[in-house]
Amino acid sequence: MAIITLTSDWGTSDHYLPAVKGALLSRMPEANIVDISHEIVPFDLNQASFVLRNCYHHFPKGTIHIVAVNTEADLENPHIAIRYDGHYFIGTDNGLFSLMFDSIPDEIFEIDIPQDSDYFTFPTRDVFVKAAVHLAKGGAMEELGDPLLKLFERTAFRPAISGDAIIGKVIYTDRYENVFTNITEGLFKSECRNRPFSIEFSVSRYRIRNINKSYGDVPEGELVALFSTTGNLQIAINRGNAASLLGLGTDDSIRIQFG
Amino acid sequence: MAIITLTSDWGTSDHYLPAVKGALLSRMPEANIVDISHEIVPFDLNQASFVLRNCYHHFPKGTIHIVAVNTEADLENPHIAIRYDGHYFIGTDNGLFSLMFDSIPDEIFEIDIPQDSDYFTFPTRDVFVKAAVHLAKGGAMEELGDPLLKLFERTAFRPAISGDAIIGKVIYTDRYENVFTNITEGLFKSECRNRPFSIEFSVSRYRIRNINKSYGDVPEGELVALFSTTGNLQIAINRGNAASLLGLGTDDSIRIQFG
Amino acid sequence: MAIITLTSDWGTSDHYLPAVKGALLSRMPEANIVDISHEIVPFDLNQASFVLRNCYHHFPKGTIHIVAVNTEADLENPHIAIRYDGHYFIGTDNGLFSLMFDSIPDEIFEIDIPQDSDYFTFPTRDVFVKAAVHLAKGGAMEELGDPLLKLFERTAFRPAISGDAIIGKVIYTDRYENVFTNITEGLFKSECRNRPFSIEFSVSRYRIRNINKSYGDVPEGELVALFSTTGNLQIAINRGNAASLLGLGTDDSIRIQFG
């Protein structure tokens, strides 16, 4: 049974989400439609790419992921279908996919199919649904349109190495107000080499001097650093709200000083 | 596979929604249950009718739509099942359906079946589930109860024509704070007849002098009018929050002056 | 088709929920995954137990309920699988289940299976998914680990009888701000014995002197007491917000004086 996932900034109050589900089921009654998130902050490509990159790979290979954030197309930002890591992605080439993937996709095709309506403001319903069902029924990517060589690029800020320090930043805050940084476990380990270290925030005088395995390694209400299951260095307070209590938000600097 | 949709003002925190899903699956394990919205403002029949009217028709014919807003029945407002436009609707005849449909339903039946509990406060679980499963299994509408000739009527405010102007109003605001009016594309075209026009809001000194096809037709942060995919004239700000920034809310007047 | 439900405090914005759904579908593509609630207040075992106890029994026998609130395990609070009332429950033995069940479960097994990752912070994805799919495919509870004799106990406050009064308290507030107390219909009836009574709140000078069957038994905006479909005495305002207007919240006292 084909799995089609939906990621959007629609929220769950309006008619957008059920209209798309209805349109999918009308074309493919047996589709298994799974919501990724519809609470993406409106127009926020960084947040959408973070959420989807950290869950898509748990779905079976062959899953089709419709990504509905900033979907209006223009000449520079067409509607596209992508094959990457055994998964299919359908959306608008607005930079979101370049933020999401670590390497160049296996295939990219512009979607150039007749639209269902005269409206340009709801391509998810009028274009992506058709493309997704085409792929879900085993249709070829090639039949959607012309191949593209590369994605529209947006630059994700990568951590910098500065002397004996890594300078990273906050990229995401979850519902518990755990703070995710762009410093990965791999980068930390390659720089740390068993030296002592201090994790420092631009906005707070706190320091963290070790990295734990679980929240419960520290008492309730205390600060803890650990590697999230996403692979990102996370700053949290055990059962507390780290973002509010530390005053940390997206783009704030995090520095790890070694030695 | 039978599709049963759910529309309510329950929210998604409480036990109401999963209790109904469980009750449906206990009676019909193969049912495909799809959420329309559970974020309807409590008791708001206008909002519920707007959301459902703009998505139900995307579902396959034969879909059964349970509508759970203001469900307590009384002598004047019984539980009913409706066939309209090839779809089935189950709910309470409180005026919501009269707001939703443009014409008289093909069939209306009062639901008069034994209830599952002694409680009167949760008819969705205790009555609508049974009626929906009855229809989903191919049962006849007639077996639910006596036929009714007409719906309980609530009046939707329709736009007025006043000389060379259409006077409409705001009927809905979506998550992006796009503002939907009750002025439809059809009405606008029949009155406009290629004359110049000015869209004016009672609460703001802004004027809009043309109607675009997409948000991106204007720069970010600028005001745009377009016809939504719902067919309604929409006032928006490209990537901005029109409702807050213009001070526009439900029932505020919109005037289109021609000539 | 196996039904697997999910209850959590993850919210629906982050990657946690879709990661778990993807992991379930990768292991069991035909699983029917149903959301109970993901809006549990973070770490709130009382709220989670209230929501799940009032809906799980509507699902078909054999349903598997994954409960993901405070999931980090330690020696005293292991991961467990439970059989109770014909349903399966998978979670951490942190007291939530002792709050939920009225009697001792039929079977309790510690879950001691190889984990999918080196991380300890996401056992739902790395442990519970495997255990749930094991059971959903007909695997034996015994294969998950060693049997346990009893649950980790947390004490739910039970109403007290004091002379001619029941002293209870508020345990939950729903989206409509209806207030649920821990006074059950059974207790009320056994104590009332057709005597007149007065329902009194510690925080308000209002009194309620009868119990109705539906919200509509009183005019809009008026105070009403009724027994919820959960069996709990509920204080509400017909189409109003009882919790805010009465100043009632969790743990506030409710007294029923008889005679």
Side-chain angles (χ1 to χ4, degrees):
Chain A
M1 189 159 64
I3 298 171
I4 299 174
T5 82
L6 299 173
T7 304
S8 80
D9 59 357
W10 296 325
T12 53
S13 298
D14 301 325
H15 58 283
Y16 304 113
L17 175 58
V20 167
K21 289 186 176 177
L24 282 167
L25 292 170
S26 285
R27 290 177 175 273
M28 194 174 193
E30 73 277 22
N32 188 1
I33 304 169
V34 182
D35 297 308
I36 300 292
S37 171
H38 302 291
E39 305 302 331
I40 302 299
V41 170
F43 318 119
D44 191 331
L45 301 178
N46 284 297
Q47 198 193 10
S49 69
F50 182 86
V51 171
L52 190 51
R53 84 176 271 147
N54 287 308
C55 65
Y56 87 84
H57 52 91
H58 289 296
F59 285 84
K61 299 276 183 187
T63 295
I64 297 154
H65 305 277
I66 294 178
V67 189
V69 182
N70 302 359
T71 52
E72 281 190 5
D74 54 36
L75 282 175
E76 205 180 9
N77 307 108
H79 297 144
I80 57 173
I82 297 169
R83 187 165 60 78
Y84 176 86
D85 187 22
H87 291 252
Y88 297 94
F89 298 85
I90 292 171
T92 301
D93 189 24
N94 53 31
L96 187 154
F97 295 112
S98 77
L99 293 168
M100 209 177 107
F101 301 137
D102 289 325
S103 57
I104 293 169
D106 301 304
E107 292 186 292
I108 312 169
F109 285 88
E110 186 171 342
I111 300 174
D112 182 20
I113 54 179
Q115 196 176 304
D116 268 1
S117 83
D118 288 339
Y119 297 105
F120 296 159
T121 54
F122 203 0
T124 309
R125 187 192 71 180
D126 297 335
V127 177
F128 299 170
V129 160
K130 285 170 94 165
V133 169
H134 172 81
L135 296 179
K137 290 186 171 171
M141 298 267 283
E142 289 77 1
E143 295 175 75
L144 295 173
D146 291 331
L148 293 176
L149 291 178
K150 56 194 282 294
L151 292 171
F152 182 86
E153 290 272 347
R154 271 177 205 268
T155 310
F157 285 97
R158 296 189 191 283
I161 310 297
S162 168
D164 281 331
I166 302 173
I167 320 284
K169 61 166 205 163
V170 174
I171 56 170
Y172 191 81
T173 303
D174 72 11
R175 192 195 188 209
Y176 306 94
E177 297 202 24
N178 300 325
V179 168
F180 291 73
T181 74
N182 63 348
I183 302 172
T184 62
E185 189 165 6
L187 176 66
F188 174 82
K189 286 188 171 158
S190 76
E191 294 296 317
C192 181
R193 301 184 299 273
N194 291 317
R195 291 182 288 173
F197 60 89
S198 167
I199 304 174
E200 305 167 5
F201 323 125
S202 58
V203 294
S204 157
R205 59 190 178 75
Y206 290 100
R207 300 276 178 277
I208 305 178
R209 296 190 190 280
N210 53 7
I211 292 179
N212 287 289
K213 293 290 283 180
S214 63
Y215 302 109
D217 287 344
V218 302
E220 277 192 37
E222 293 209 358
L223 204 54
V224 59
L226 46 74
F227 290 107
S228 164
T229 54
T230 61
N232 298 81
L233 178 69
Q234 185 183 101
I235 313 297
I237 290 173
N238 185 18
R239 308 239 168 141
N241 302 316
S244 302
L245 292 169
L246 298 172
L248 274 177
T250 300
D251 288 336
D252 283 333
S253 288
I254 303 284
R255 179 189 180 91
I256 307 181
Q257 181 69 47
F258 295 101
Chain B
M1 189 160 62
I3 298 171
I4 300 174
T5 82
L6 298 173
T7 304
S8 80
D9 59 357
W10 296 324
T12 53
S13 299
D14 301 325
H15 58 283
Y16 303 113
L17 175 57
V20 166
K21 289 186 176 176
L24 282 167
L25 291 171
S26 285
R27 290 178 174 274
M28 194 172 193
E30 72 278 19
N32 187 2
I33 305 169
V34 182
D35 297 308
I36 300 291
S37 171
H38 303 291
E39 306 302 331
I40 302 298
V41 170
F43 318 120
D44 192 330
L45 301 177
N46 285 297
Q47 198 193 9
S49 69
F50 182 86
V51 170
L52 190 51
R53 85 175 273 148
N54 287 309
C55 65
Y56 85 85
H57 52 91
H58 289 297
F59 285 85
K61 299 277 183 187
T63 296
I64 297 154
H65 305 277
I66 294 178
V67 188
V69 182
N70 302 358
T71 53
E72 282 192 4
D74 54 37
L75 284 175
E76 206 180 10
N77 307 109
H79 298 144
I80 57 172
I82 297 169
R83 186 165 60 79
Y84 177 86
D85 187 23
H87 290 252
Y88 297 94
F89 298 85
I90 292 171
T92 300
D93 189 24
N94 53 31
L96 188 154
F97 295 112
S98 76
L99 293 167
M100 209 178 107
F101 301 137
D102 289 325
S103 57
I104 293 170
D106 301 305
E107 291 185 294
I108 312 169
F109 285 88
E110 186 169 343
I111 300 174
D112 181 19
I113 54 179
Q115 198 176 302
D116 269 1
S117 83
D118 288 340
Y119 297 104
F120 296 158
T121 54
F122 203 180
T124 309
R125 187 192 72 179
D126 297 334
V127 177
F128 298 170
V129 160
K130 285 171 92 165
V133 169
H134 172 80
L135 296 178
K137 291 186 171 170
M141 297 268 282
E142 288 78 359
E143 295 174 75
L144 295 173
D146 291 331
L148 293 176
L149 290 178
K150 58 195 278 296
L151 292 171
F152 182 86
E153 289 272 346
R154 271 178 205 268
T155 310
F157 285 96
R158 296 189 191 283
I161 310 297
S162 168
D164 281 332
I166 303 173
I167 320 283
K169 62 165 204 163
V170 174
I171 54 170
Y172 192 81
T173 302
D174 72 11
R175 191 193 189 212
Y176 307 93
E177 297 203 23
N178 300 324
V179 168
F180 291 72
T181 75
N182 63 349
I183 301 171
T184 62
E185 188 165 6
L187 177 66
F188 174 82
K189 286 188 171 158
S190 76
E191 293 296 317
C192 181
R193 301 183 300 272
N194 291 319
R195 291 182 290 172
F197 60 89
S198 167
I199 304 173
E200 306 168 4
F201 324 127
S202 59
V203 294
S204 156
R205 60 192 177 74
Y206 291 100
R207 301 277 177 277
I208 305 178
R209 296 187 190 281
N210 54 6
I211 291 180
N212 287 289
K213 292 292 281 181
S214 63
Y215 301 110
D217 287 344
V218 302
E220 278 192 36
E222 292 210 358
L223 203 55
V224 58
L226 47 74
F227 289 107
S228 164
T229 53
T230 62
N232 297 82
L233 178 68
Q234 184 183 101
I235 312 298
I237 289 173
N238 185 18
R239 307 239 167 142
N241 303 316
S244 302
L245 292 169
L246 299 172
L248 275 177
T250 300
D251 288 338
D252 283 334
S253 288
I254 303 284
R255 180 190 180 92
I256 308 182
Q257 181 71 46
F258 296 100
Chain C
M1 189 160 64
I3 298 171
I4 299 174
T5 82
L6 298 173
T7 304
S8 79
D9 59 357
W10 296 325
T12 53
S13 298
D14 302 325
H15 58 283
Y16 303 114
L17 175 58
V20 167
K21 289 186 176 177
L24 281 167
L25 292 170
S26 284
R27 291 177 174 274
M28 194 173 194
E30 73 276 21
N32 188 1
I33 304 169
V34 182
D35 297 309
I36 300 292
S37 171
H38 303 290
E39 306 301 331
I40 303 299
V41 170
F43 317 120
D44 191 332
L45 301 177
N46 284 298
Q47 199 193 10
S49 69
F50 182 86
V51 171
L52 189 51
R53 86 176 270 147
N54 287 310
C55 66
Y56 86 85
H57 52 90
H58 289 296
F59 285 85
K61 299 276 184 188
T63 296
I64 296 153
H65 305 278
I66 294 178
V67 188
V69 182
N70 301 358
T71 52
E72 281 190 4
D74 55 36
L75 283 175
E76 205 180 7
N77 307 109
H79 298 144
I80 58 173
I82 297 168
R83 188 165 61 78
Y84 176 87
D85 187 21
H87 291 252
Y88 297 94
F89 298 84
I90 292 171
T92 301
D93 189 24
N94 52 31
L96 187 154
F97 295 112
S98 76
L99 293 167
M100 209 179 105
F101 301 138
D102 290 326
S103 57
I104 293 168
D106 301 305
E107 292 185 295
I108 313 169
F109 285 88
E110 187 169 342
I111 300 174
D112 181 20
I113 53 179
Q115 198 176 302
D116 269 0
S117 83
D118 288 339
Y119 298 105
F120 297 159
T121 54
F122 203 180
T124 308
R125 188 192 69 180
D126 297 333
V127 178
F128 298 172
V129 160
K130 285 170 92 167
V133 169
H134 173 81
L135 296 178
K137 290 186 169 169
M141 297 268 284
E142 289 78 359
E143 296 174 74
L144 295 173
D146 291 331
L148 293 176
L149 290 178
K150 56 193 280 297
L151 292 171
F152 182 85
E153 289 272 345
R154 270 176 205 270
T155 310
F157 285 97
R158 296 189 191 283
I161 311 298
S162 167
D164 281 333
I166 302 172
I167 320 283
K169 62 165 204 164
V170 174
I171 54 171
Y172 191 81
T173 302
D174 72 11
R175 191 195 188 208
Y176 307 93
E177 297 202 25
N178 300 325
V179 169
F180 291 73
T181 75
N182 63 348
I183 301 172
T184 62
E185 189 164 8
L187 177 65
F188 175 83
K189 286 187 172 160
S190 76
E191 293 296 317
C192 181
R193 301 183 299 273
N194 289 317
R195 292 182 289 174
F197 60 90
S198 167
I199 304 172
E200 306 167 4
F201 324 126
S202 59
V203 294
S204 157
R205 60 193 176 74
Y206 291 100
R207 300 277 178 278
I208 305 178
R209 297 190 188 280
N210 53 8
I211 291 179
N212 288 290
K213 292 292 282 181
S214 64
Y215 301 109
D217 287 344
V218 302
E220 277 192 37
E222 293 209 358
L223 204 54
V224 60
L226 46 74
F227 289 107
S228 164
T229 54
T230 62
N232 297 82
L233 178 68
Q234 184 183 99
I235 312 298
I237 289 173
N238 184 19
R239 307 235 169 145
N241 302 315
S244 302
L245 292 170
L246 297 172
L248 274 177
T250 300
D251 288 337
D252 283 334
S253 288
I254 304 283
R255 178 189 181 91
I256 308 182
Q257 181 70 47
F258 296 101

